[in-house]
């Protein structure tokens, strides 16, 4: 499959190249093969993208919401029509198996464009009665927004940022992760095909310094980042210099709590989804699986049995469950954590090895008898490594689940619904699931508390994140003054 794009960037409605930018190789994670290259954006490319966005935004904001929405809905339709090609591209770029990308990447992006496309025409301000006089508010866009993506869900992240931003009348300059530069370029083309004006959605490639240059620019009103906590701290600080709006979707070490009375088969399914989907490269993964002691043996036995059946291999084969890690570097990080788990005394139940041969494959790995102080229980690994911890009491597990700097997500498995709601209310996490894990429908707000982030993506909450009310006081009487 030829994945080489026409040009590295997409600026002002068309592909743009500047071959003097640093080379970013395109590597297929399943084989390590080099498929092509793009160039990092140079200062003239960054300037062109920001200038185009600023120009396009004025006209776009002047259109009606329904007109803006129509473009987004058309883009969603094109994404769906091209789902297979986009999924194959995403698989080549990320290494995620086609069995996932066919249903979870461009498809989720299309849901998002459709959802915010439908909402665009409904965005209104409020009327405020003031006993004679009155006020009204106008929901205004912020202006030029910058989106910066991680490598695990490239087109989904681009859509989750672009759709609400564009629905509200903003323009965007998007920088994908340098690991996965390809699908955002396709989204940019599709938006133009769907009727978006040139310059409304621009893509520039590059590593952190390109992101940093965008964040620092005075024309930028808002920054939405999906990335790790350390990057989040840096980007938040840089945005604060310019008093810019931010949305920060950062890392996690989320708890999945399984009580004795849970349906064991469902709990095992959830633990698998919460740790091994996308080869474990998901921010909201429930990587600390707290299992009540009464169900521990049954849970671990079924988990080991089912995990051993996982098909690892060619991600383009639709029968494959786990593809490789995104890069050699990420595989090294994950293997290092597996070694730490062993040396700190956790019990390796299944997996634990890299697969020999080309590509950055790691077996799905389960550790049992993990304690709260071990590195594998405290730090985000971002790979297929599950830590199973024991607990006995509800109070105890709530305290331990919350004893982390992260607060992205949490899950509770129990047949006692009163307990489920009681526990969820006390978990410090932005997104919680009861008897389910990692489903993120577009209608539900998504985001973290504590170090896991600021603000929410998806749902109506995202409208607040990409617009602001202008308040207008209207006097119907005379003006009084003290002298
Ligand atoms: P990174 O934090 O390494 O990078 C995120 C993005 O920020 C990349 O595009 C990166 O560029 C860019 N970047 C790095 N430094 C700067 C800077 N100083 N200024 C502006 N931009 C910068 O994350 P990863 O790509 O490694 O993704 C994994 C992380 O993302 C995990 O921690 C994961 O939990 C989190 N994540 C969070 C999600 C959420 O919704 N909460 C969802 C998905 C992932 P480049 O890498 O190209 O150099």
């Amino acid at each position: 499959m030829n994945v080489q794009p026409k040009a590295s960037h997409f600026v002002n409605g068309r592909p743009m190249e500047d071959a003097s930018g640093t080379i970013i190789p395109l590597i297929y994670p399943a084989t390590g093969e080099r498929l092509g290259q793009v160039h990092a954006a140079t200062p003239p490319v960054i300037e062109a993208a920001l200038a185009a966005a600023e120009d396009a935004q004025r006209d776009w904001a002047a259109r009606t919401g329904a007109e803006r929405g129509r473009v987004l809905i058309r883009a969603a339709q094109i994404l769906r029509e091209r789902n297979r090609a986009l999924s194959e591209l995403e698989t080549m770029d990320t290494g995620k198996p086609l069995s996932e990308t066919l249903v979870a990447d461009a498809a989720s992006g299309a849901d998002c464009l459709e959802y915010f496309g439908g909402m665009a025409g409904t965005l209104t301000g409020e009327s405020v009665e003031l006993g004679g006089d009155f006020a009204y508010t106008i929901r205004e866009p912020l202006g030029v927004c910058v989106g910066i993506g991680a490598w695990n869900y490239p087109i989904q992240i681009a859509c989750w940022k672009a759709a609400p931003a564009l629905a509200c009348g903003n323009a965007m300059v998007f920088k994908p992760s340098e690991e996965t530069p390809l699908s955002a370029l396709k989204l940019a083309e599709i938006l133009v095909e769907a009727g978006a004006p040139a310059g409304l959605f621009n893509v520039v490639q590059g590593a952190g310094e390109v992101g940093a240059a965008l964040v620092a620019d005075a024309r930028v009103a808002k920054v939405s980042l999906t990335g790790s906590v350390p990057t989040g701290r840096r980007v938040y600080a840089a945005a604060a210099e310019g008093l810019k709006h931010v949305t920060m979707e950062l890392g996690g070490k989320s708890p999945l709590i399984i009580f004795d009375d849970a349906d064991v088969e469902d709990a095992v399914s959830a633990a698998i989804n919460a740790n091994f989907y996308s080869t474990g490269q998901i921010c909201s993964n429930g990587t600390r699986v707290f299992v009540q002691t009464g169900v521990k043996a049954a849970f671990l036995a079924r988990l080991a049995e089912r995990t051993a059946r996982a098909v690892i291999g060619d991600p383009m084969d639709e029968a494959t469950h786990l593809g490789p890690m995104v890069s050699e570097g990420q595989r090294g990080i994950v293997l290092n954590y597996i070694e730490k788990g062993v040396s700190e005394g956790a019990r390796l139940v299944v997996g634990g090895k890299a697969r020999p041969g080309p590509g950055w494959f790691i077996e799905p790995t389960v550790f049992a008898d993990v304690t709260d102080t071990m590195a594998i229980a405290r730090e985000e690994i971002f790979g297929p490594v599950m830590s199973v911890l024991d607990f006995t009491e509800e109070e105890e597990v709530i305290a331990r689940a919350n004893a982390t700097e992260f607060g992205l997500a949490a899950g509770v498995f129990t047949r006692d619904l009163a307990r489920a709601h009681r526990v969820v209310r006390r978990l410090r996490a932005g997104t919680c699931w009861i008897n389910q894990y990692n489903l993120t429908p577009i209608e539900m707000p998504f985001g973290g508390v504590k170090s896991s982030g600021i603000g929410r993506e998806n749902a109506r909450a995202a409208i607040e994140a990409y617009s602001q009310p202008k308040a207008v006081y209207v006097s119907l009487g005379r003006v009084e003054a003290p002298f």
Side-chain angles (χ1 to χ4, degrees):
M1 183 182 175
N2 178 20
V3 302
Q4 179 64 45
K6 282 178 226 141
S8 301
H9 320 287
F10 193 94
V11 172
N12 206 14
R14 52 191 172 271
M16 181 184 225
E17 192 56 277
D18 179 352
S20 66
T22 313
I23 290 173
I24 301 172
L26 304 173
I27 308 283
Y28 183 35
T31 59
E33 193 188 342
R34 185 170 167 151
L35 304 174
Q37 64 184 44
V38 293
H39 294 272
T42 52
V45 171
I46 295 172
E47 174 53 37
L50 288 166
E54 197 180 30
D55 268 2
Q57 195 264 328
R58 275 189 291 272
D59 291 345
W60 180 248
R63 295 192 191 185
T64 67
E67 279 178 80
R68 295 198 296 266
R70 209 172 299 136
V71 172
L72 300 186
I73 290 169
R74 222 177 279 140
Q77 283 158 356
I78 301 174
L79 242 70
R80 289 220 172 86
E81 283 158 22
R82 297 187 195 154
N83 186 48
R84 177 156 284 270
L86 290 168
S87 303
E88 286 172 359
L89 185 72
E90 204 73 311
T91 288
M92 297 299 283
D93 216 10
T94 60
K96 296 197 298 177
L98 198 54
S99 58
E100 290 187 13
T101 51
L102 280 170
V103 294
D105 292 78
S108 160
D111 286 353
C112 182
L113 287 160
E114 201 165 50
Y115 178 82
F116 287 106
M119 200 181 275
T122 72
L123 304 178
T124 56
E126 298 180 302
S127 167
V128 185
E129 291 305 317
L130 297 171
D133 289 357
F134 67 98
Y136 63 93
T137 63
I138 305 168
R139 184 154 289 284
E140 292 191 331
L142 303 176
V144 175
C145 301
V146 161
I148 301 176
W151 39 258
N152 58 343
Y153 279 86
I155 199 165
Q156 184 197 78
I157 291 172
C159 290
W160 281 19
K161 297 186 189 311
L166 270 42
C168 290
N170 302 285
M172 180 164 273
V173 178
F174 186 81
K175 187 200 88 66
S177 162
E178 62 183 315
E179 303 284 359
T180 54
L182 299 177
S183 56
L185 293 169
K186 293 288 179 198
L187 175 65
E189 270 174 35
I190 287 170
L191 280 163
V192 168
E193 231 179 295
L200 189 68
F201 180 75
N202 308 275
V203 175
V204 298
Q205 309 294 350
E209 61 269 17
V210 172
L214 292 170
V215 174
D217 194 278
R219 285 164 288 190
V220 172
K222 155 140 200 161
V223 180
S224 178
L225 169 80
T226 298
S228 61
V229 173
T231 303
R233 285 205 177 91
R234 278 196 293 279
V235 172
Y236 192 17
E241 273 299 311
L243 292 170
K244 297 174 204 283
H245 298 253
V246 294
T247 300
M248 295 278 146
E249 293 291 356
L250 309 177
K253 190 76 196 176
S254 300
L256 168 56
I257 302 172
I258 296 161
F259 286 96
D260 282 345
D261 67 345
D263 181 302
V264 175
E265 220 39 41
D266 275 355
V268 169
S269 299
I272 288 172
N273 292 341
N275 283 273
F276 304 140
Y277 204 72
S278 293
T279 320
Q281 302 164 115
I282 299 187
C283 51
S284 51
N285 270 357
T287 46
R288 290 183 296 146
V289 182
F290 290 95
V291 181
Q292 207 164 13
T293 43
V295 76
K296 176 181 174 184
F299 175 84
L300 281 175
R302 280 299 284 154
L303 178 64
E305 204 182 319
R306 290 176 57 184
T307 302
R309 290 208 303 255
V311 180
I312 315 171
D314 177 5
M316 294 303 264
D317 179 344
E318 283 181 50
T320 295
H321 300 126
L322 274 89
M325 307 303 301
V326 74
S327 64
E328 192 171 12
Q330 188 62 20
R331 184 175 67 165
I333 291 170
V334 176
L335 289 175
N336 194 34
Y337 273 110
I338 292 175
E339 271 174 38
K340 269 193 201 163
V342 171
S343 67
E344 287 184 326
R347 176 163 59 94
L348 190 59
V349 175
V350 63
K353 292 194 294 294
R355 204 186 70 166
W360 327 126
F361 293 89
I362 298 185
E363 295 170 349
T365 299
V366 177
F367 281 107
D369 304 335
V370 177
T371 61
D372 297 352
T373 54
M374 292 178 183
I376 55 169
R378 284 185 290 107
E379 295 168 24
E380 184 181 46
I381 300 174
F382 227 57
V385 182
M386 184 192 311
S387 293
V388 178
L389 304 95
D390 310 344
F391 78 95
T392 51
E393 301 297 332
E394 183 179 312
E395 267 313 302
E396 169 212 340
V397 79
I398 293 169
R400 289 170 60 198
N402 285 336
T404 166
E405 68 160 318
F406 300 108
L408 189 55
V412 178
F413 270 75
T414 174
R415 287 195 173 95
D416 177 349
L417 277 184
R419 172 160 63 191
H421 292 291
R422 187 168 68 228
V423 172
V424 152
R425 277 167 192 252
R426 293 182 58 200
L427 290 173
R428 306 260 343 259
T431 306
C432 294
W433 291 275
I434 294 175
N435 294 331
Q436 189 52 273
Y437 205 86
N438 256 355
L439 296 187
T440 53
I442 197 69
E443 298 87 349
M444 186 172 103
F446 181 78
V449 300
K450 300 198 280 182
S451 295
S452 288
I454 293 170
R456 294 291 176 269
E457 294 195 302
N458 299 345
R460 285 204 163 264
I463 297 298
E464 301 295 327
Y466 285 100
S467 63
Q468 57 194 345
K470 173 184 277 176
V472 183
Y473 186 106
V474 182
S475 173
L476 301 183
R478 302 298 309 266
V479 179
E480 285 179 22
F483 54 87

